[in-house]
Amino acid sequence: MRTLAALVYVDSETLGVVGKMLAQMQRIGVAPIVVTKANDHISAVRRTHMLADAVEREGGRARPICGGVFGADVCSEPITAAIAQGQIPVIAPLAVDSGQQLRVLDSSVTALARALAALEGSMSVARLILLGGESGITAGGELQRLVNLEEDYVRLESSCERTGALQLMRTCLGILAPTAVGIVASVHADPSLVLKGLISERPTAVPQFKKPESPVVARILDGVPNYQPIYEHVKEPALIQPSQFTLLRHGFRIQRHTSLDTVDIDRLRCLLESSFQRKLDMAYFERLRHLGIQIVVAGEYQGAVIVTFEKTSGEDLPYLDKFAVLPEVQGTGMADILWDELRVACPSCMWRSRNDNGVNQKSTRERY
């Protein structure tokens, strides 16, 4: 049986509510593997024990590991032994140098990611969590809720206020499995919100309501963070404040097309046929040639969104015609990445679908 694990790096001088967060992760069946920030070997040992104590105070079980992990290679035995005993390994980033002196290893998180990725048969590191003194990754003063590193990294690197966190995420998510998810949050973040993001693999939001002038009937849908309240006489929407963390995926490169002339028709046809499990009538592409279109392609034609602009009463109405993802890339965040790209390409859009279509769930959750 494979262990579902999360590699957690505490990059903050204060611990905040990290102990509570880790204990809750342990209770829901996720095995946190924790590395602490340190400036020297004394502070590394002290912080490792402080964090282990904080977990224990919250009802969790933790084991401080202050040596025996980092060397010429990473030894994973102390880590797997702690997890087998139902304990959270809290690891000091210490290694012995050539002069047999303890030193802080700056690349401890990257080295652990490589070692844990090699244990894929017995352990699945599905999450990489960086907890710092600030909330999420911001660029231009705006919190980035979802980052597609393959597409967004260059843009964010020049304007991001936490370039170190961004670079660490890019490196480690490139090492771990394509389905791995990164989360950058504050050590003071609400643990329940971070855990929601950890479980759902998508950014969450905190619903807050304006006080209405007339009675309100609020329908709370269990498990849906961004629900649409029902107002009796007030049409003002709920005010949604994004939760203060960033969710990152290694992701895919994005291509954007407004004409079929720049699209690889054969590859797009194969994607649509694989996604919908049916043969595509080639007359479909002839129809597209006579319409205004927006086509977003992700990766090597592993996912695509096709929007057509339909003539209605003299206006061009954006219509979501196709939303396709290859079966083999499901679980990599492809659908969320395409959905975000769709919202940028077409701020307003309509579509027809069956009640059980996943796109309907996204429109409810994300409030298109």
Side-chain angles (χ1 to χ4, degrees), residues 71 201 264 266 351 359:
E201 301 183 358
D264 189 326
D266 289 337
W351 63 88
V359 172

Side-chain angles (χ1 to χ4, degrees), residues 193-210:
L193 291 178
V194 176
L195 290 178
K196 273 187 179 181
L198 183 146
I199 295 168
S200 67
E201 301 183 358
R202 52 180 59 94
T204 61
V206 184
Q208 293 188 351
F209 300 97
K210 277 187 176 181

Side-chain angles (χ1 to χ4, degrees), residues 205-211 229 231 236-242 367:
V206 184
Q208 293 188 351
F209 300 97
K210 277 187 176 181
K211 185 177 180 180
Y231 289 86
E236 292 183 359
L239 294 179
I240 305 294
Q241 290 188 347
R367 301 182 71 237

Side-chain angles (χ1 to χ4, degrees), residues 9-295:
Y9 178 47
V10 183
D11 181 22
S12 173
E13 295 297 331
T14 59
L15 297 181
V17 293
V18 174
K20 182 177 182 179
M21 192 181 301
L22 295 175
Q24 289 184 2
M25 288 172 60
Q26 188 179 45
R27 282 195 284 272
I28 64 173
V30 177
I33 299 168
V34 187
V35 184
T36 63
K37 175 183 178 179
N39 297 319
D40 52 55
H41 71 278
I42 296 176
S43 65
V45 172
R46 179 176 58 82
R47 286 178 55 77
T48 297
H49 282 274
M50 286 175 59
L51 185 50
D53 290 344
V55 173
E56 296 275 349
R57 285 196 299 272
E58 295 294 339
R61 298 183 62 203
R63 178 187 298 184
I65 301 174
C66 296
V69 174
F70 300 108
D73 296 306
V74 174
C75 178
S76 59
E77 290 182 8
I79 299 171
T80 55
I83 293 173
Q85 294 291 324
Q87 297 172 317
I88 296 173
V90 183
I91 306 162
L94 296 175
V96 179
D97 61 21
S98 57
Q100 299 302 304
Q101 298 294 314
L102 280 176
R103 65 180 179 86
V104 174
L105 184 65
D106 294 331
S107 60
S108 57
V109 180
T110 305
L112 264 182
R114 294 187 193 281
L116 296 174
L119 300 176
E120 187 62 26
S122 58
M123 180 182 298
S124 173
V125 182
R127 307 290 183 269
L128 173 63
I129 303 174
L130 192 157
L131 300 173
E134 299 176 6
S135 300
I137 290 175
T138 58
E142 182 178 350
L143 177 72
Q144 307 297 302
R145 296 184 63 218
L146 176 63
V147 174
N148 172 9
L149 285 166
E150 277 290 287
E151 182 68 16
D152 301 334
Y153 179 79
V154 174
R155 172 181 63 84
L156 291 177
E157 187 183 30
S158 60
S159 59
C160 175
E161 298 173 13
R162 297 184 67 181
T163 54
L166 191 68
Q167 292 166 357
L168 181 62
M169 281 288 171
R170 186 191 191 197
T171 300
C172 292
L173 289 177
I175 294 169
L176 299 174
T179 53
V181 175
I183 291 176
V184 177
S186 166
V187 293
H188 303 289
D190 185 340
S192 63
L193 291 178
V194 176
L195 290 178
K196 273 187 179 181
L198 183 146
I199 295 168
S200 67
E201 301 183 358
R202 52 180 59 94
T204 61
V206 184
Q208 293 188 351
F209 300 97
K210 277 187 176 181
K211 185 177 180 180
E213 296 178 0
S214 58
V216 172
V217 178
R219 180 183 59 193
I220 299 178
L221 302 180
D222 186 33
V224 182
N226 291 346
Y227 61 85
Q228 187 81 18
I230 301 175
Y231 289 86
E232 288 184 337
H233 302 293
V234 180
K235 294 183 179 180
E236 292 183 359
L239 294 179
I240 305 294
Q241 290 188 347
S243 56
Q244 297 299 299
F245 69 85
T246 300
L247 189 140
L248 304 94
R249 293 275 195 174
H250 184 261
F252 304 88
R253 296 294 294 176
I254 299 296
Q255 305 172 39
R256 301 169 184 86
H257 305 272
T258 56
S259 168
L260 284 183
D261 295 339
T262 57
V263 174
D264 189 326
I265 299 294
D266 289 337
R267 298 177 77 182
L268 182 58
R269 175 185 56 80
C270 290
L271 164 62
L272 295 175
E273 290 181 348
S274 296
S275 178
F276 292 100
Q277 296 293 300
R278 65 182 68 178
K279 192 74 174 176
L280 182 68
D281 188 339
M282 291 303 290
Y284 172 72
F285 293 111
E286 288 303 316
R287 179 178 180 274
L288 292 185
R289 291 188 185 279
H290 297 89
L291 294 170
I293 58 173
Q294 284 268 11
I295 299 179

Side-chain angles (χ1 to χ4, degrees), residues 292-311:
I293 58 173
Q294 284 268 11
I295 299 179
V296 178
V297 177
E300 298 299 320
Y301 284 80
Q302 295 155 292
V305 169
I306 301 176
V307 175
T308 60
F309 292 91
E310 307 289 342
K311 294 291 184 182

